[in-house]
Coordinates of all heavy atoms in Angstrom, one line a residue:
H1 N -78.9 -47.8 17.5 CA -79.3 -47.2 16.2 C -78.2 -46.5 15.5 O -78.0 -46.6 14.3 CB -80.5 -46.3 16.4 CG -81.0 -45.7 15.2 ND1 -81.8 -46.4 14.2 CD2 -80.9 -44.4 14.7 CE1 -82.1 -45.6 13.3 NE2 -81.6 -44.4 13.5
V2 N -77.4 -45.8 16.3 CA -76.3 -45.0 15.7 C -75.3 -46.0 15.1 O -74.8 -45.8 14.0 CB -75.6 -44.2 16.8 CG1 -74.3 -43.5 16.2 CG2 -76.5 -43.1 17.2
A3 N -75.0 -47.1 15.8 CA -74.0 -48.1 15.3 C -74.5 -48.7 13.9 O -73.7 -48.8 13.0 CB -73.8 -49.2 16.3
L4 N -75.8 -49.0 13.9 CA -76.3 -49.5 12.6 C -76.2 -48.5 11.5 O -75.8 -48.8 10.4 CB -77.8 -49.9 12.8 CG -78.0 -51.1 13.8 CD1 -79.5 -51.3 14.0 CD2 -77.4 -52.3 13.3
T5 N -76.6 -47.3 11.8 CA -76.5 -46.2 10.8 C -75.1 -46.0 10.3 O -74.9 -45.9 9.0 CB -77.1 -44.9 11.3 OG1 -78.4 -45.1 11.7 CG2 -77.1 -43.8 10.3
W6 N -74.2 -45.9 11.2 CA -72.8 -45.6 10.8 C -72.2 -46.8 10.0 O -71.5 -46.7 9.0 CB -71.9 -45.3 12.0 CG -72.1 -43.9 12.5 CD1 -73.2 -43.1 12.4 CD2 -71.2 -43.2 13.2 NE1 -73.0 -41.9 13.0 CE2 -71.8 -41.9 13.5 CE3 -69.9 -43.4 13.7 CZ2 -71.1 -41.0 14.3 CZ3 -69.2 -42.5 14.5 CH2 -69.8 -41.2 14.7
G7 N -72.6 -48.1 10.5 CA -72.1 -49.3 9.8 C -72.6 -49.3 8.3 O -71.9 -49.7 7.4
M8 N -73.9 -49.0 8.1 CA -74.5 -49.0 6.8 C -73.9 -47.9 5.9 O -74.0 -48.0 4.7 CB -76.0 -48.9 6.9 CG -76.6 -50.2 7.4 SD -78.4 -50.2 7.4 CE -78.8 -49.2 8.8
Q9 N -73.3 -46.9 6.5 CA -72.7 -45.8 5.7 C -71.2 -46.1 5.4 O -70.5 -45.2 4.9 CB -72.8 -44.5 6.5 CG -74.3 -44.0 6.5 CD -74.4 -42.7 7.2 OE1 -73.5 -42.0 7.6 NE2 -75.7 -42.3 7.4
G10 N -70.7 -47.2 5.8 CA -69.4 -47.6 5.5 C -68.3 -47.4 6.6 O -67.1 -47.7 6.3
F11 N -68.7 -46.9 7.7 CA -67.7 -46.7 8.8 C -67.4 -48.1 9.4 O -68.3 -48.9 9.5 CB -68.3 -45.8 9.9 CG -68.4 -44.3 9.4 CD1 -69.5 -43.8 8.9 CD2 -67.3 -43.5 9.6 CE1 -69.6 -42.5 8.5 CE2 -67.3 -42.2 9.2 CZ -68.5 -41.7 8.6
D12 N -66.2 -48.2 9.9 CA -65.9 -49.4 10.7 C -66.4 -49.3 12.1 O -66.1 -48.3 12.8 CB -64.4 -49.6 10.8 CG -63.7 -50.0 9.5 OD1 -64.4 -50.5 8.6 OD2 -62.5 -49.7 9.3
V13 N -67.4 -50.1 12.5 CA -68.0 -50.1 13.8 C -67.8 -51.3 14.5 O -67.9 -52.4 14.0 CB -69.6 -49.9 13.6 CG1 -70.3 -49.9 14.9 CG2 -69.9 -48.6 12.8
S14 N -67.3 -51.2 15.8 CA -67.1 -52.3 16.7 C -68.1 -52.2 17.9 O -68.3 -51.1 18.4 CB -65.7 -52.3 17.2 OG -64.8 -52.5 16.2
I15 N -68.7 -53.3 18.2 CA -69.6 -53.3 19.4 C -69.0 -54.3 20.4 O -68.6 -55.3 20.0 CB -71.0 -53.8 18.9 CG1 -71.6 -53.1 17.8 CG2 -72.0 -53.9 20.1 CD1 -71.9 -51.6 18.1
L16 N -69.0 -53.8 21.6 CA -68.4 -54.7 22.7 C -69.3 -55.9 22.8 O -70.6 -55.8 22.9 CB -68.3 -54.0 24.0 CG -67.4 -52.8 24.1 CD1 -67.3 -52.3 25.5 CD2 -66.0 -53.2 23.5
S17 N -68.7 -57.1 22.8 CA -69.5 -58.4 22.9 C -70.4 -58.4 24.1 O -71.5 -58.9 24.1 CB -68.5 -59.6 22.8 OG -67.5 -59.4 23.8
A18 N -69.9 -57.8 25.2 CA -70.7 -57.8 26.5 C -72.0 -56.9 26.3 O -72.9 -57.1 27.0 CB -69.9 -57.3 27.6
S19 N -71.9 -56.0 25.4 CA -73.1 -55.1 25.2 C -74.2 -55.7 24.4 O -75.3 -55.2 24.5 CB -72.6 -53.8 24.6 OG -71.6 -53.2 25.3
V20 N -73.9 -56.6 23.5 CA -74.9 -57.1 22.6 C -76.0 -57.8 23.3 O -77.2 -57.6 23.0 CB -74.2 -58.1 21.6 CG1 -75.3 -58.7 20.7 CG2 -73.2 -57.3 20.7
S21 N -75.7 -58.5 24.4 CA -76.8 -59.3 25.1 C -77.8 -58.3 25.8 O -78.9 -58.7 26.1 CB -76.2 -60.2 26.1 OG -75.4 -59.5 27.1
N22 N -77.4 -57.1 26.1 CA -78.3 -56.1 26.7 C -78.9 -55.1 25.7 O -79.5 -54.2 26.2 CB -77.5 -55.3 27.8 CG -77.0 -56.2 28.9 OD1 -77.6 -57.1 29.3 ND2 -75.8 -55.9 29.4
S23 N -78.7 -55.4 24.5 CA -79.2 -54.4 23.5 C -80.5 -54.9 22.9 O -80.8 -56.1 22.8 CB -78.2 -54.3 22.3 OG -78.6 -53.5 21.3
W24 N -81.3 -53.9 22.4 CA -82.5 -54.3 21.7 C -82.2 -54.6 20.2 O -83.1 -55.1 19.5 CB -83.6 -53.1 21.7 CG -83.0 -51.8 21.2 CD1 -82.4 -50.8 21.9 CD2 -83.1 -51.3 19.8 NE1 -82.0 -49.8 21.0 CE2 -82.5 -50.1 19.8 CE3 -83.7 -51.8 18.7 CZ2 -82.4 -49.3 18.6 CZ3 -83.6 -51.1 17.5 CH2 -82.9 -49.9 17.5
V25 N -81.0 -54.4 19.8 CA -80.5 -54.8 18.5 C -79.9 -56.2 18.6 O -79.1 -56.4 19.5 CB -79.5 -53.8 17.9 CG1 -79.0 -54.2 16.6 CG2 -80.2 -52.4 17.9
S26 N -80.2 -57.1 17.7 CA -79.7 -58.4 17.8 C -78.3 -58.5 17.2 O -77.8 -57.6 16.4 CB -80.6 -59.4 17.0 OG -80.4 -59.2 15.6
Y27 N -77.6 -59.6 17.6 CA -76.2 -59.8 17.1 C -76.2 -59.8 15.5 O -75.4 -59.2 14.9 CB -75.8 -61.2 17.6 CG -74.4 -61.6 17.1 CD1 -73.3 -61.3 17.8 CD2 -74.3 -62.4 16.0 CE1 -72.0 -61.7 17.4 CE2 -73.0 -62.8 15.5 CZ -71.9 -62.5 16.2 OH -70.7 -62.9 15.8
N28 N -77.2 -60.5 15.0 CA -77.3 -60.6 13.5 C -77.5 -59.2 12.9 O -77.0 -58.9 11.8 CB -78.4 -61.6 13.1 CG -78.0 -63.0 13.3 OD1 -76.9 -63.3 13.4 ND2 -79.0 -63.9 13.4
Q29 N -78.4 -58.4 13.5 CA -78.6 -57.0 12.9 C -77.3 -56.2 12.9 O -77.0 -55.5 12.0 CB -79.7 -56.3 13.7 CG -81.1 -56.9 13.5 CD -82.1 -56.2 14.4 OE1 -82.0 -56.3 15.6 NE2 -83.1 -55.6 13.8
Y30 N -76.5 -56.3 14.0 CA -75.2 -55.6 14.0 C -74.3 -56.1 12.9 O -73.7 -55.3 12.2 CB -74.5 -55.8 15.4 CG -75.0 -54.9 16.5 CD1 -75.5 -55.5 17.7 CD2 -75.1 -53.5 16.4 CE1 -75.9 -54.6 18.7 CE2 -75.5 -52.7 17.4 CZ -75.9 -53.3 18.6 OH -76.3 -52.5 19.6
C31 N -74.2 -57.4 12.8 CA -73.4 -58.0 11.7 C -73.8 -57.6 10.3 O -73.0 -57.3 9.5 CB -73.3 -59.5 11.9 SG -72.4 -60.0 13.4
E32 N -75.1 -57.7 10.1 CA -75.7 -57.3 8.8 C -75.4 -55.8 8.4 O -75.2 -55.5 7.3 CB -77.2 -57.5 8.7 CG -77.6 -59.0 8.7 CD -79.0 -59.2 8.9 OE1 -79.8 -58.3 8.9 OE2 -79.4 -60.4 9.0
A33 N -75.3 -55.0 9.4 CA -75.0 -53.6 9.2 C -73.5 -53.4 9.1 O -73.0 -52.2 8.8 CB -75.5 -52.7 10.4
G34 N -72.7 -54.4 9.2 CA -71.2 -54.3 9.0 C -70.4 -54.1 10.3 O -69.2 -53.9 10.3
A35 N -71.1 -54.2 11.5 CA -70.4 -54.0 12.7 C -69.6 -55.3 13.1 O -70.1 -56.4 12.8 CB -71.4 -53.6 13.8
K36 N -68.5 -55.1 13.8 CA -67.8 -56.2 14.3 C -68.1 -56.3 15.8 O -68.1 -55.3 16.5 CB -66.3 -56.0 14.2 CG -65.8 -55.9 12.7 CD -64.3 -55.5 12.7 CE -63.9 -55.2 11.3 NZ -62.5 -54.6 11.3
I37 N -68.4 -57.5 16.3 CA -68.6 -57.8 17.7 C -67.2 -58.2 18.3 O -66.7 -59.2 17.9 CB -69.6 -58.9 17.9 CG1 -70.9 -58.6 17.1 CG2 -70.0 -59.0 19.4 CD1 -71.6 -57.3 17.3
Q38 N -66.7 -57.4 19.2 CA -65.4 -57.6 19.7 C -65.3 -57.4 21.2 O -66.1 -56.8 21.8 CB -64.4 -56.6 19.0 CG -64.3 -56.7 17.5 CD -63.3 -55.7 17.0 OE1 -63.4 -54.5 17.2 NE2 -62.3 -56.2 16.2
T39 N -64.1 -57.9 21.7 CA -63.8 -57.7 23.1 C -63.4 -56.2 23.3 O -63.1 -55.5 22.3 CB -62.6 -58.5 23.6 OG1 -61.5 -58.1 22.8 CG2 -62.9 -60.0 23.4
R40 N -63.4 -55.7 24.5 CA -63.0 -54.3 24.7 C -61.6 -54.0 24.2 O -61.4 -53.0 23.5 CB -63.1 -54.0 26.2 CG -62.6 -52.5 26.5 CD -62.6 -52.3 28.0 NE -63.8 -52.5 28.7 CZ -64.9 -51.7 28.7 NH1 -64.8 -50.5 28.1 NH2 -66.0 -52.0 29.3
A41 N -60.7 -54.9 24.5 CA -59.3 -54.7 24.1 C -59.2 -54.6 22.5 O -58.5 -53.7 22.0 CB -58.4 -55.8 24.6
D42 N -59.8 -55.5 21.8 CA -59.8 -55.5 20.4 C -60.5 -54.3 19.8 O -60.0 -53.7 18.8 CB -60.4 -56.8 19.8 CG -59.5 -58.0 20.0 OD1 -58.3 -57.8 20.2 OD2 -60.0 -59.1 20.0
A43 N -61.6 -53.9 20.4 CA -62.3 -52.7 19.8 C -61.5 -51.4 20.0 O -61.6 -50.6 19.2 CB -63.7 -52.6 20.5
L44 N -60.8 -51.3 21.1 CA -60.1 -50.1 21.4 C -58.7 -50.0 20.7 O -58.2 -48.9 20.6 CB -59.9 -50.0 22.9 CG -61.1 -49.7 23.8 CD1 -60.8 -49.6 25.2 CD2 -61.8 -48.4 23.3
K45 N -58.2 -51.1 20.3 CA -56.9 -51.2 19.8 C -56.6 -50.1 18.7 O -55.6 -49.4 18.8 CB -56.6 -52.6 19.2 CG -55.2 -52.8 18.8 CD -54.9 -54.3 18.5 CE -55.4 -54.6 17.1 NZ -55.0 -55.9 16.6
D46 N -57.5 -50.0 17.7 CA -57.3 -49.0 16.7 C -58.4 -48.0 16.6 O -58.6 -47.4 15.5 CB -57.2 -49.7 15.3 CG -56.0 -50.7 15.2 OD1 -54.9 -50.3 15.7 OD2 -56.1 -51.8 14.7
A47 N -59.1 -47.8 17.7 CA -60.2 -46.9 17.7 C -59.8 -45.4 17.5 O -58.9 -44.9 18.1 CB -61.0 -47.0 19.0
N48 N -60.6 -44.7 16.6 CA -60.4 -43.3 16.4 C -61.5 -42.5 17.2 O -61.3 -41.4 17.6 CB -60.5 -42.9 15.0 CG -59.4 -43.5 14.2 OD1 -58.3 -43.4 14.5 ND2 -59.7 -44.1 13.0
V49 N -62.7 -43.1 17.3 CA -63.8 -42.5 18.1 C -64.4 -43.6 18.9 O -64.7 -44.7 18.4 CB -64.9 -42.0 17.1 CG1 -66.0 -41.4 17.8 CG2 -64.3 -40.9 16.2
V50 N -64.8 -43.3 20.2 CA -65.5 -44.2 21.0 C -66.8 -43.5 21.5 O -66.7 -42.4 21.9 CB -64.6 -44.6 22.3 CG1 -65.4 -45.4 23.3 CG2 -63.4 -45.4 21.8
M51 N -67.9 -44.3 21.3 CA -69.2 -43.7 21.8 C -69.6 -44.6 22.9 O -69.6 -45.8 22.9 CB -70.2 -43.8 20.6 CG -69.8 -42.9 19.5 SD -71.0 -43.0 18.1 CE -72.4 -42.2 18.8
K52 N -70.1 -43.9 24.0 CA -70.6 -44.6 25.2 C -72.0 -44.1 25.5 O -72.2 -42.9 25.4 CB -69.7 -44.5 26.3 CG -68.4 -45.2 26.2 CD -67.6 -45.2 27.5 CE -68.3 -45.6 28.8 NZ -68.7 -47.0 28.9
I53 N -72.8 -44.9 26.1 CA -74.1 -44.5 26.6 C -73.9 -43.7 27.9 O -74.4 -42.6 28.1 CB -75.1 -45.6 26.7 CG1 -75.4 -46.2 25.3 CG2 -76.3 -45.2 27.5 CD1 -76.3 -47.4 25.3
N54 N -73.2 -44.3 28.8 CA -72.9 -43.7 30.1 C -71.5 -43.1 30.1 O -70.7 -43.5 29.4 CB -73.0 -44.7 31.3 CG -74.4 -45.2 31.5 OD1 -75.4 -44.4 31.5 ND2 -74.6 -46.5 31.7
P55 N -71.3 -42.1 30.9 CA -70.0 -41.5 31.0 C -68.9 -42.6 31.4 O -69.2 -43.5 32.1 CB -70.1 -40.5 32.2 CG -71.5 -40.1 32.2 CD -72.3 -41.4 31.9
P56 N -67.7 -42.4 30.8 CA -66.7 -43.4 31.1 C -66.1 -43.3 32.5 O -66.1 -42.2 33.1 CB -65.6 -43.1 30.1 CG -65.8 -41.6 29.9 CD -67.3 -41.4 30.0
T57 N -65.6 -44.4 33.0 CA -64.9 -44.4 34.3 C -63.5 -43.9 34.0 O -63.0 -43.8 32.9 CB -64.8 -45.8 34.9 OG1 -64.1 -46.6 34.0 CG2 -66.2 -46.4 35.1
H58 N -62.7 -43.6 35.1 CA -61.4 -43.2 34.9 C -60.5 -44.3 34.3 O -59.7 -44.0 33.4 CB -60.7 -42.8 36.3 CG -61.3 -41.5 36.8 ND1 -61.1 -40.3 36.3 CD2 -62.2 -41.3 37.8 CE1 -61.7 -39.4 37.0 NE2 -62.4 -40.0 37.9
D59 N -60.8 -45.6 34.6 CA -60.1 -46.7 34.0 C -60.4 -46.8 32.5 O -59.5 -47.1 31.7 CB -60.5 -48.0 34.7 CG -59.9 -48.1 36.1 OD1 -58.9 -47.4 36.5 OD2 -60.4 -48.9 36.9
E60 N -61.7 -46.6 32.1 CA -62.0 -46.6 30.7 C -61.3 -45.5 29.9 O -60.8 -45.8 28.8 CB -63.5 -46.6 30.5 CG -64.2 -47.8 31.0 CD -65.7 -47.7 31.0 OE1 -66.3 -46.5 31.2 OE2 -66.4 -48.7 30.8
I61 N -61.2 -44.4 30.5 CA -60.5 -43.3 29.8 C -59.0 -43.6 29.7 O -58.4 -43.4 28.6 CB -60.7 -42.0 30.6 CG1 -62.1 -41.5 30.6 CG2 -59.7 -40.9 30.1 CD1 -62.4 -40.3 31.5
A62 N -58.4 -44.2 30.7 CA -57.0 -44.6 30.6 C -56.8 -45.7 29.5 O -55.7 -45.7 28.9 CB -56.6 -45.2 31.9
E63 N -57.8 -46.4 29.1 CA -57.6 -47.5 28.1 C -57.7 -46.9 26.7 O -57.4 -47.6 25.7 CB -58.7 -48.5 28.3 CG -58.6 -49.4 29.5 CD -59.8 -50.3 29.6 OE1 -60.8 -50.1 29.0 OE2 -59.7 -51.3 30.4
L64 N -58.2 -45.7 26.5 CA -58.4 -45.1 25.2 C -57.0 -44.9 24.5 O -56.1 -44.4 25.1 CB -59.1 -43.8 25.2 CG -60.6 -43.9 25.8 CD1 -61.1 -42.4 25.9 CD2 -61.4 -44.7 24.8
P65 N -56.9 -45.2 23.2 CA -55.7 -44.9 22.5 C -55.4 -43.4 22.4 O -56.4 -42.6 22.4 CB -56.0 -45.5 21.1 CG -57.2 -46.3 21.2 CD -57.9 -45.8 22.4
N66 N -54.2 -43.0 22.3 CA -53.8 -41.6 22.1 C -54.5 -41.1 20.9 O -54.5 -41.7 19.9 CB -52.3 -41.4 22.0 CG -51.6 -41.7 23.3 OD1 -52.2 -41.5 24.4 ND2 -50.3 -42.1 23.2
G67 N -55.1 -39.9 21.1 CA -55.8 -39.2 19.9 C -57.2 -39.6 19.7 O -57.9 -39.1 18.8
C68 N -57.7 -40.6 20.5 CA -59.0 -41.1 20.3 C -60.1 -40.1 20.8 O -59.9 -39.6 21.9 CB -59.2 -42.4 21.0 SG -60.8 -43.2 20.9
A69 N -61.1 -39.8 20.1 CA -62.2 -39.0 20.5 C -63.2 -39.8 21.3 O -63.5 -40.9 20.9 CB -62.9 -38.3 19.3
L70 N -63.8 -39.2 22.3 CA -64.8 -39.9 23.1 C -66.1 -39.1 23.1 O -66.1 -37.9 23.3 CB -64.3 -39.9 24.6 CG -65.4 -40.4 25.6 CD1 -65.7 -41.9 25.4 CD2 -64.8 -40.2 27.0
I71 N -67.2 -39.8 22.7 CA -68.5 -39.2 22.7 C -69.4 -39.9 23.7 O -69.6 -41.2 23.6 CB -69.1 -39.3 21.3 CG1 -68.3 -38.7 20.3 CG2 -70.6 -38.8 21.3 CD1 -68.7 -38.9 18.8
S72 N -69.9 -39.2 24.7 CA -70.8 -39.8 25.7 C -71.8 -38.7 26.0 O -71.7 -38.0 27.0 CB -70.0 -40.2 26.9 OG -70.9 -40.8 27.9
L73 N -72.9 -38.7 25.3 CA -73.9 -37.6 25.4 C -75.1 -38.0 26.2 O -75.8 -37.2 26.7 CB -74.3 -37.1 24.0 CG -73.2 -36.6 23.1 CD1 -73.8 -36.2 21.8 CD2 -72.6 -35.4 23.8
M74 N -75.3 -39.3 26.3 CA -76.5 -39.8 27.0 C -76.2 -40.3 28.3 O -75.1 -40.8 28.6 CB -77.2 -40.8 26.1 CG -77.6 -40.3 24.7 SD -78.4 -41.6 23.7 CE -77.1 -42.7 23.4
Y75 N -77.2 -40.4 29.2 CA -77.1 -41.0 30.5 C -78.2 -42.1 30.6 O -79.3 -41.7 30.5 CB -77.2 -40.0 31.6 CG -76.3 -40.2 32.7 CD1 -75.0 -39.6 32.8 CD2 -76.6 -41.0 33.8 CE1 -74.2 -39.8 33.8 CE2 -75.8 -41.3 34.8 CZ -74.6 -40.6 34.8 OH -73.7 -40.8 35.9
H76 N -77.8 -43.3 30.7 CA -78.8 -44.4 30.7 C -79.8 -44.2 31.8 O -79.5 -43.9 32.9 CB -78.1 -45.7 30.8 CG -79.0 -46.9 30.5 ND1 -79.7 -47.5 31.5 CD2 -79.2 -47.5 29.4 CE1 -80.4 -48.5 30.9 NE2 -80.1 -48.5 29.6
S77 N -81.1 -44.4 31.5 CA -82.2 -44.2 32.5 C -82.1 -45.1 33.8 O -82.7 -44.8 34.8 CB -83.5 -44.4 31.9 OG -83.7 -45.7 31.4
S78 N -81.3 -46.2 33.7 CA -81.2 -47.0 34.8 C -80.2 -46.5 35.9 O -80.0 -47.1 36.9 CB -80.8 -48.5 34.4 OG -79.5 -48.5 33.9
N79 N -79.4 -45.5 35.5 CA -78.4 -45.0 36.4 C -79.2 -44.2 37.5 O -79.9 -43.2 37.2 CB -77.4 -44.1 35.7 CG -76.3 -43.7 36.5 OD1 -76.4 -43.5 37.7 ND2 -75.1 -43.6 35.9
A80 N -79.0 -44.6 38.7 CA -79.7 -44.0 39.9 C -79.2 -42.6 40.3 O -79.9 -41.9 41.0 CB -79.6 -44.9 41.1
E81 N -78.0 -42.2 39.8 CA -77.5 -40.9 40.2 C -78.1 -39.7 39.5 O -78.4 -39.7 38.4 CB -76.0 -40.9 40.0 CG -75.3 -41.9 40.9 CD -73.8 -41.9 40.7 OE1 -73.2 -40.9 40.2 OE2 -73.2 -42.9 41.1

């Protein structure tokens, strides 16, 4: 929902291609809202802000561009921990 809202407000939004198949939002809905469906490498290349549902791993943090903000406020209900 956040990605759709930000996309419709004119922000550049990228969604990881691997995430779309597990989302309740369809590929077409993301595209109609202006989001780009990209690989992790392409999405992170020029990212200023990264939003994640689950906390990032150490490897994911290492992939973030310098100066990039990370937002991860939610914890997915399927996480057993």
Side-chain angles (χ1 to χ4, degrees):
H1 180 73
V2 173
L4 295 176
T5 301
W6 284 25
M8 288 187 279
Q9 291 180 8
F11 289 94
D12 292 334
V13 176
S14 296
I15 306 293
L16 297 185
S17 52
S19 300
V20 175
S21 61
N22 296 323
S23 175
W24 57 272
V25 178
S26 73
Y27 178 91
N28 287 339
Q29 288 173 301
Y30 279 126
C31 292
E32 288 170 7
K36 297 175 191 169
I37 311 301
Q38 298 183 305
T39 63
R40 178 185 304 279
D42 287 338
L44 290 177
K45 188 170 81 173
D46 296 318
N48 294 314
V49 177
V50 170
M51 296 178 71
K52 287 189 53 67
I53 292 174
N54 290 316
T57 65
H58 292 287
D59 289 340
E60 289 172 331
I61 292 171
E63 293 176 343
L64 296 175
N66 287 335
C68 181
L70 172 66
I71 301 170
S72 180
L73 301 175
M74 300 180 289
Y75 218 94
H76 194 272
S77 61
S78 66
N79 192 325
E81 293 179 21

